[in-house]
Amino acid sequence: FFQAEDGIRDYKVTGVQTCALPISLLTICIPTCNRSQFLQVMLQALLPQVSEYPGLVEIWVLDNASTDDTSVVLHQATQLGPVNWHRQDTNVGPNRNIVFGPSNLANGKYTWVLGDHNLVRPGALSRLIGLLTQHPEFDVFYASFRCAVYPNHWPESASCGYDGPFDYTSFGSGEDRVYNQWAQVLRVEDRKST
């Protein structure tokens, strides 16, 4: 998560009127392209938790010109909680699509880029909001994550979060810690680090 420098971010998107929006605490940007089956379950896990924090958390799905039923999934997702999306006119590649949200859409003091295949655990957003508000002096946060192998552990649905089987964690046991250097977060002994 990276902290914005000021309390207002210019909202500039091609085809959308430019305006200054007040900053929220957290913007979650979710890049996707032709992965509606993952995105649907991911939004089932995330959006009900976002609904608990009106005005504090905004969601932007970054659709990289998907040709599957992503637009249908996004319209259905509005029933689960607040969600915004931007669709690229053409596929701009994964890197440009990922960077587009934080650079052009995010209004949050912090921005979290979360993959369309990442399922948040029940209560995860509450825990994160607590940490962000308790530690405004931090500019960067690292969120440890658990990984499951598809299709072995991928659920058909994940209402309000997923707490099912997984294969490994990205780092440690998931407890909250303060580190002075990024090197303390990385696990150099294997590829399971960030």
Side-chain angles (χ1 to χ4, degrees):
F1 310 94
F2 297 94
Q3 185 174 5
E5 294 178 15
D6 55 17
I8 299 285
R9 177 157 304 163
D10 287 336
Y11 185 78
K12 298 176 183 174
V13 182
T14 304
V16 175
Q17 185 176 5
T18 301
C19 60
L21 294 176
I23 210 160
S24 59
L25 179 64
L26 176 64
T27 299
I28 301 175
C29 292
I30 305 161
T32 192
C33 185
N34 292 324
R35 292 164 50 104
S36 63
Q37 74 281 7
F38 291 113
L39 182 64
Q40 181 177 24
V41 178
M42 188 271 199
L43 293 174
Q44 289 173 357
L46 179 63
L47 292 180
Q49 293 186 46
V50 171
S51 294
E52 297 174 19
Y53 297 95
L56 283 179
V57 180
E58 71 170 350
I59 302 295
W60 278 100
V61 176
L62 313 170
D63 180 4
N64 197 11
S66 294
T67 57
D68 64 0
D69 65 341
T70 294
S71 64
V72 173
V73 166
L74 290 169
H75 282 93
Q76 292 171 346
T78 62
Q79 302 300 311
L80 301 172
V83 59
N84 303 294
W85 61 88
H86 173 79
R87 186 178 194 285
Q88 301 287 1
D89 292 331
T90 60
N91 187 316
V92 296
N95 292 339
R96 283 185 65 195
N97 192 52
I98 290 168
V99 171
F100 184 83
S103 299
N104 296 286
L105 302 171
N107 292 300
K109 179 179 178 184
Y110 297 96
T111 301
W112 183 12
V113 177
L114 187 61
D116 60 5
H117 64 289
N118 298 136
L119 303 177
V120 295
R121 295 175 68 188
L125 197 55
S126 174
R127 183 174 170 194
L128 177 59
I129 295 296
L131 289 170
L132 294 175
T133 56
Q134 291 169 17
H135 298 285
E137 72 276 14
F138 293 155
D139 293 328
V140 178
F141 285 81
Y142 172 85
S144 181
F145 52 91
R146 303 183 318 172
C147 300
V149 175
Y150 177 83
N152 300 346
H153 297 129
W154 189 259
E156 291 183 24
S157 65
S159 181
C160 299
Y162 175 73
D163 209 12
F166 63 96
D167 295 292
Y168 61 89
T169 61
S170 64
F171 183 77
S173 62
E175 69 278 357
D176 299 331
R177 288 196 223 166
V178 175
Y179 297 99
N180 297 325
Q181 299 177 347
W182 278 106
Q184 295 173 307
V185 176
L186 301 177
R187 291 189 345 203
V188 295
E189 69 273 8
D190 61 30
R191 64 178 172 75
K192 298 174 184 170
S193 63
T194 300

